[in-house]
Amino acid sequence: GIARLDAGTAEVTVAAGSTFFFIQHAIDPLGLLLPCRPTNSFGTVGGWASAGGVGLGSMGSGPLRDHVRRLEVVRPGGELQVLTPDDDGFEDLFDTEGQLGIIASLTVALRHDDGSGVVGVVFDDLAAAAGYVGRLFDEQRRPSTVLLAGHTHELERCEGAPEGEVLLMDVPAGWTPPDPGEYGAKPLPAGSTTWLWSRRFFPMDNPMGPVFLASEALMPLDKASAFVDRARALCGRYGVPMHAHCHAVSGDAEPAILVLIIFPVDPSE
C-alpha cells in the first residue's frame, strides 16, 4: 500500500508489493504519473526495481533507479537498512533480483502529466526505425515513451496500415518531433494508433492461449535491429511464431533498447 503521498514534492512512498496499477490509480487525481513502469500494470514496484526497472517511460525518464529517493532493504542477515542515492551499494540493488537484499519499501519521485499526445508511424524495416530513434536521442526534449510495437502482420487492428515496423511515441504538448518521413516512415492510421497505444500494457495478451517471454535483453541501440531480425529468422526456420516488443531507454550510458521476444501459443495447433 501507500505509506505517504506528497503532492507538493511529487513523491510517493510505497510498500514494495504495491502494484503499478494501484499506485497510478492513487496518484491520477493529482495529475501525477509514475516516471516509468513495466508493460505489466499488475507487477510490483519492488520486484520490477530489483530486475532493473526499465520499460515504458524510460526513453524520457531513464530507469526507475534514477527516481528512487529512499529504499528500505532487508539484508540477507535479516537487518533492515535504509539507503539513499548517496549511499554505497544503493544502485547495486536495482538489477540483482534480491540477491543482495529484499526491497521492503521505496520512495519514488513522480512526474507531472504534460498532456502528451500519441503518434504512430510505420517504417520499412527495423534499421530505419532505429535510425529515427537515434535522432530522437539527439533532441534536447524527447518523448517519454518510444515503443517499437512489432511488425504490422504481428499486430491486431492494423488493417489498411502500411506494411512494416510500427513505432509509437507520446509527444509532449508544445513539442514537434523530428519528421519520421525523412527515414521513410508513413503514418499509422489513427484507429490503429489508438488501439495499439491502449494495449501497450498487454504485450503478452493472447486470446488463443498462453504466452511465453522467451528473452528480455538490454542492448545498444545500434545492435537491436540485427538482434530482432536474427531472432525472426531463427523462429521462421522452425515455424515458431514470435513477437518482438522493444522500448527505447535513456540513462547515463549510451542509447539502448530493451528487447522482449515473446512466443504466443495456439493450443489448437
Side-chain angles (χ1 to χ4, degrees), residues 28-69:
D28 262 340
L30 301 175
L32 297 171
L33 299 171
L34 289 157
C36 54
R37 57 192 295 186
T39 49
N40 177 11
S41 287
F42 297 99
T44 63
V45 64
W48 193 59
S50 297
V54 292
L56 296 166
S58 289
M59 172 69 174
S61 300
L64 182 64
R65 68 171 181 268
D66 291 350
H67 307 276
V68 175
R69 301 294 178 254

Side-chain angles (χ1 to χ4, degrees), residues 64-152:
L64 182 64
R65 68 171 181 268
D66 291 350
H67 307 276
V68 175
R69 301 294 178 254
R70 181 178 181 273
L71 287 175
E72 285 188 327
V73 181
V74 180
R75 290 297 192 179
E79 67 274 18
L80 181 65
Q81 186 177 15
V82 176
L83 295 172
T84 70
D86 294 329
D87 294 319
D88 291 338
F90 176 83
E91 292 203 2
D92 296 340
L93 293 162
F94 288 93
D95 55 9
T96 48
E97 301 193 353
Q99 295 182 76
L100 301 179
I102 304 299
I103 296 175
S105 73
L106 310 87
T107 298
V108 180
L110 306 170
R111 66 182 181 91
H112 293 276
D113 188 348
D114 59 10
S116 59
V118 181
V119 171
V121 292
V122 182
F123 292 88
D124 291 338
D125 52 40
L126 277 173
Y132 181 69
V133 174
R135 172 73 180 278
L136 291 174
F137 273 111
D138 292 335
E139 294 288 305
Q140 185 174 5
R141 196 175 183 192
R142 60 181 63 155
S144 172
T145 295
V146 173
L147 171 63
L148 291 165
H151 195 281
T152 47

